[in-house]
Amino acid sequence: MTKIFFRGCFIWCYNKEGGFYGVFFEKINVKKGTYLQIYESFYDPQRGHTAHKSYKALGYVNDLIQNGIDDPIAFYKQEIFELNKKRNERLKQEKNKQISDEETPEKALGYFPVKSINLSLGVKKYLDLMQAVTGFHFSVFSFISSLVYARIVQPCSKRKTFDDVLPKLFEKYDFSLDQVYDGLEYIGCEYEKIIEIYNHQIQKHYGYNTAHTYFDCTNFFFEIDREDDLRRKGPAKENRHGPIVGLGLLLDADQIPVGMKIYPGNESEKPVLRNIINGLKQRSNISGRTVQVADKGLNCAENIVTALKSADGYIFSKSVKQLPETEKTWVLLSNDYRDIKDKKGGVLYRIKECVDDFPYQITDENGKKKAVKLTEKRVVTFNPKLKEKQIYEIEKQVEKAKILKASQAKKSEYGDSSKYVTFKAENKKGEKEDVKIKVEMNEKKIKTDKQLAGYNMIVTSEINMPDTEIYSTYHNLWRIEESFKIMKSQLDARPIFLQKEDKITGHFLICYLSVLLVRIFQIKILENKYCTEEIFDFMKRFKVAKLSEKNT
């Protein structure tokens, strides 16, 4: 119901939620008399707030009275009421518009391979059972499927998806925009159960290969300033400083997604590895020993010990720069390395290994730290091309540090190049302040980093696995990086403008299921003969046009 309030010179119109909208008129007192003009209020996306523009000039009150309007203010108050009433009805009709109301001659059809896989999995009957308690008047399976197909062929905001993309899908869907947001919130609340249903059916039809599991984390930024329970400020991948949400992704040995975990952006990634793997193995009935593969960011004593307690194994990378001096010496010794060559006889990389007991410090159930020794295999590789790249980066940072040193720059200006200098306070007290400082080049650090350039270390519990197999297994982690890339680029999973936690999670679930179904198509059906860019390019470009009722 529209309510109109007279406040001083303005008549304001409010909707039932208390938000200002529509048209109003203003009384302007000038020498000639009181002048009336109608203004329209609208939201300006560029300014980020409400703005006004002239809608209709009414004239002077005295002139209006002479023209037969006894009470101009009351008269135009009623006109404004009717204008806002009609506007409100129009907006209500647009809001309740069904997708099936839209008709377009061009239809997107490139998603048909994914649709075929989705239908063949037989998840619909299980999702229908979940829906029985929701009271939704539309199919949850159809809802999920339509958003997945829409995101594959043309990723965009949920509003734009509803207005522009869903009407272009070959099938007709009959839910409203309100139902889109309600459904998104529901599937976000139940995302683990929905993934569990898909996992069960994929295991039944295609099978998961969990001899190895690959795990990594990333985060997604939000165009907001305030934090909430989920969107928290943390170390963003894009070096942004706003709130982020973390996402952990688990892949099987064939690089098929097995599960995801959403967590607040300020939380450490390391515990997520333990939680998601244990949870997924329980929910998905994944039995037997799996070897967890992750990068050095997730390599910590607790994760290693937890894997061993679960009768699982691990393959992690380890920074050679952080090794004890004895291990660095072993890495740099040229003996025991052997060359791995390409078909033309060129050296791809050099590799060597050792098996020994290595010390770790863990925290027990009582919170006390204790030292343990674990038998591990450590594989070191040397890549000439990597060395060339890393030495270039080192020299660039060193050159930057020398320029800043010569210009007597502040410590805060050095950034990453600060690791190649030592700072000495300029003041006599030696206090640490952000002032001009005396700088000396750290020649020892520069020399050590150049010596270790090109070297990588892989740590594993698999002492009987050949070193080249360990190397190739670890380097398949690029697949999980590619999955994140698909989410962020091909599926435009960011930036995210949703507000509620469950809706945000629902958004990520749609992105996850899109990656899952595309990966099955790419790896299980096409046997990995085509790259993801080619597949997405085909699905986005493949369209049909309706020419007449009889022909398409």
Side-chain angles (χ1 to χ4, degrees):
M1 178 180 178
T2 302
K3 295 181 180 179
I4 302 179
F5 298 92
F6 180 76
R7 291 185 178 176
C9 295
F10 298 93
I11 292 180
W12 300 96
C13 305
Y14 289 82
N15 61 14
K16 63 182 180 180
E17 288 83 15
F20 175 74
Y21 74 93
V23 295
F24 62 94
F25 78 84
E26 181 181 5
K27 291 167 55 179
I28 305 171
N29 294 316
V30 293
K31 289 184 179 179
K32 191 176 177 180
T34 302
Y35 189 84
L36 302 181
Q37 183 158 333
I38 296 178
Y39 287 89
E40 181 182 6
S41 175
F42 65 97
Y43 178 75
D44 187 342
Q46 293 183 340
R47 300 180 189 176
H49 56 73
T50 302
H52 310 309
K53 65 181 180 181
S54 175
Y55 178 80
K56 181 181 178 182
L58 302 176
Y60 289 97
V61 171
N62 291 335
D63 293 341
L64 293 170
I65 293 172
Q66 288 178 5
N67 290 333
I69 303 175
D70 296 334
D71 188 347
I73 291 179
F75 179 82
Y76 286 109
K77 179 190 285 190
Q78 183 61 33
E79 181 176 331
I80 288 172
F81 178 85
E82 294 298 331
L83 284 171
N84 282 318
K85 184 179 178 181
K86 289 178 181 179
R87 180 182 181 276
N88 201 27
E89 288 173 353
R90 187 182 74 252
L91 291 175
K92 188 176 180 181
Q93 288 176 356
E94 290 178 359
K95 188 177 180 182
N96 293 329
K97 178 185 66 177
Q98 299 294 107
I99 296 169
S100 57
D101 295 339
E102 294 291 321
E103 189 64 40
T104 175
E106 186 181 74
K107 296 291 183 181
L109 198 58
Y111 60 89
F112 71 88
V114 167
K115 178 188 173 185
S116 178
I117 293 168
N118 195 28
L119 292 173
S120 68
L121 288 174
V123 298
K124 184 179 185 301
K125 59 183 178 182
Y126 299 103
L127 293 176
D128 286 345
L129 289 174
M130 287 178 58
Q131 183 182 344
V133 297
T134 64
F136 287 150
H137 298 295
F138 58 92
S139 166
V140 173
F141 172 75
S142 295
F143 168 76
I144 292 173
S145 300
S146 67
L147 291 189
V148 168
Y149 306 152
R151 186 139 295 269
I152 287 172
V153 298
Q154 187 181 333
C156 52
S157 69
K158 296 298 175 289
R159 179 62 195 249
K160 191 172 178 62
T161 296
F162 177 82
D163 288 337
D164 300 339
V165 186
L166 291 175
K168 291 180 181 178
L169 297 184
F170 196 75
E171 299 82 14
K172 288 186 176 181
Y173 296 97
D174 57 356
F175 41 84
S176 67
L177 182 60
D178 282 345
Q179 290 172 325
V180 169
Y181 289 115
D182 290 343
L184 200 67
E185 187 170 4
Y186 170 71
I187 66 172
C189 181
E190 301 287 352
Y191 86 98
E192 290 183 328
K193 190 178 293 183
I194 293 169
I195 290 175
E196 187 178 338
I197 289 171
Y198 270 90
N199 282 352
H200 180 270
Q201 295 305 102
I202 291 169
Q203 180 72 9
K204 180 179 175 182
H205 288 77
Y206 297 99
Y208 277 115
N209 181 0
T210 54
H212 303 140
T213 53
Y214 297 91
F215 185 85
D216 202 358
C217 298
T218 191
N219 48 55
F220 295 82
F221 64 85
F222 287 76
E223 300 289 352
I224 59 172
D225 297 320
R226 281 188 174 183
E227 295 179 293
D228 54 30
D229 291 340
L230 179 64
R231 297 171 293 181
R232 309 287 292 182
K233 291 183 179 180
K237 304 293 183 183
E238 295 85 5
N239 294 319
R240 289 171 172 259
H241 303 290
I244 57 176
V245 167
L247 184 145
L249 193 62
L250 185 71
L251 272 59
D252 77 348
D254 295 327
Q255 291 84 49
I256 303 294
V258 181
M260 75 167 188
K261 183 69 176 179
I262 304 294
Y263 59 95
N266 64 335
E267 288 188 4
S268 170
E269 298 175 340
K270 294 178 180 179
V272 178
L273 172 63
R274 302 192 292 272
N275 297 337
I276 192 171
I277 290 178
N278 291 336
L280 284 168
K281 290 187 77 171
Q282 291 173 8
R283 290 194 304 273
S284 305
N285 296 319
I286 298 174
S287 58
R289 190 169 185 272
T290 66
V291 178
Q292 302 166 12
V293 187
D295 69 6
K296 55 179 172 284
L298 296 165
N299 177 9
C300 66
E302 284 77 10
N303 283 345
I304 287 172
V305 172
T306 301
L308 296 177
K309 284 181 179 179
S310 303
D312 289 338
Y314 55 87
I315 297 177
F316 293 113
S317 64
K318 191 176 183 68
S319 172
V320 291
K321 295 177 184 178
Q322 297 175 3
L323 293 172
E325 289 301 320
T326 52
E327 292 188 50
K328 284 182 184 176
T329 302
W330 174 73
V331 167
L332 294 171
L333 286 174
S334 60
N335 59 306
D336 298 328
Y337 277 103
R338 72 181 195 281
D339 293 340
I340 305 299
K341 300 181 179 180
D342 59 22
K343 294 179 181 179
K344 295 181 180 180
V347 176
L348 292 171
Y349 60 92
R350 307 185 71 205
I351 191 168
K352 73 175 179 179
E353 65 178 48
C354 75
V355 177
D356 205 343
D357 292 334
F358 295 92
Y360 284 91
Q361 192 174 59
I362 63 170
T363 303
D364 62 20
E365 297 175 354
N366 299 319
K368 294 183 178 180
K369 293 184 177 181
K370 64 177 183 179
V372 296
K373 282 195 172 185
L374 302 176
T375 302
E376 293 178 332
K377 175 179 282 191
R378 298 202 168 181
V379 177
V380 179
T381 60
F382 172 76
N383 188 316
K385 290 185 178 179
L386 180 62
K387 178 179 180 178
E388 185 178 328
K389 177 185 175 183
Q390 290 180 341
I391 288 207
Y392 170 77
E393 293 294 332
I394 292 168
E395 288 178 344
K396 189 166 73 171
Q397 292 294 341
V398 170
E399 186 62 27
K400 177 184 175 181
K402 286 180 178 178
I403 292 171
L404 292 169
K405 176 178 178 291
S407 63
Q408 296 183 329
K410 293 181 179 181
K411 182 177 179 179
S412 59
E413 297 178 57
Y414 279 77
D416 291 340
S417 67
S418 63
K419 59 189 171 185
Y420 295 121
V421 297
T422 54
F423 299 100
K424 291 184 179 179
E426 195 174 53
N427 54 12
K428 295 180 180 179
K429 296 180 180 179
E431 295 174 350
K432 294 182 179 179
E433 297 177 355
D434 191 19
V435 296
K436 288 184 178 180
I437 48 178
K438 291 182 179 179
V439 182
E440 293 180 1
M441 299 304 298
N442 191 339
E443 299 296 342
K444 183 179 179 181
K445 172 69 173 171
I446 296 169
K447 180 181 177 182
T448 301
D449 281 7
K450 285 186 174 181
Q451 284 179 330
L452 294 172
Y455 289 94
N456 273 324
M457 176 176 280
I458 303 171
V459 177
T460 180
S461 59
E462 308 308 288
I463 59 176
N464 296 318
M465 184 183 289
D467 53 8
T468 52
E469 186 178 343
I470 293 168
Y471 176 85
S472 62
T473 300
Y474 175 77
H475 280 271
N476 272 332
L477 264 177
W478 71 271
R479 281 290 193 184
I480 201 163
E481 290 291 339
E482 187 186 47
S483 295
F484 287 139
K485 182 181 177 182
I486 291 170
M487 281 193 181
K488 292 182 177 182
S489 59
Q490 299 285 0
L491 299 175
D492 277 356
R494 61 180 184 180
I496 305 152
F497 300 100
L498 299 166
Q499 300 296 319
K500 291 186 178 181
E501 180 174 336
D502 287 334
K503 288 180 181 178
I504 292 168
T505 307
H507 166 75
F508 284 123
L509 175 65
I510 295 299
C511 294
Y512 170 86
L513 293 176
S514 302
V515 174
L516 173 64
L517 293 172
V518 170
R519 280 292 196 218
I520 291 175
F521 176 55
Q522 178 185 16
I523 295 167
K524 298 293 186 180
I525 308 300
L526 299 180
E527 298 179 343
N528 224 2
K529 294 178 182 177
Y530 300 90
C531 68
T532 53
E533 286 80 7
E534 291 175 310
I535 293 171
F536 273 102
D537 185 59
F538 165 78
M539 290 193 288
K540 289 178 180 180
R541 288 173 177 267
F542 192 94
K543 297 177 182 178
V544 295
K546 188 175 182 180
L547 302 179
S548 70
E549 292 297 326
K550 295 181 179 180
N551 301 310
T552 56

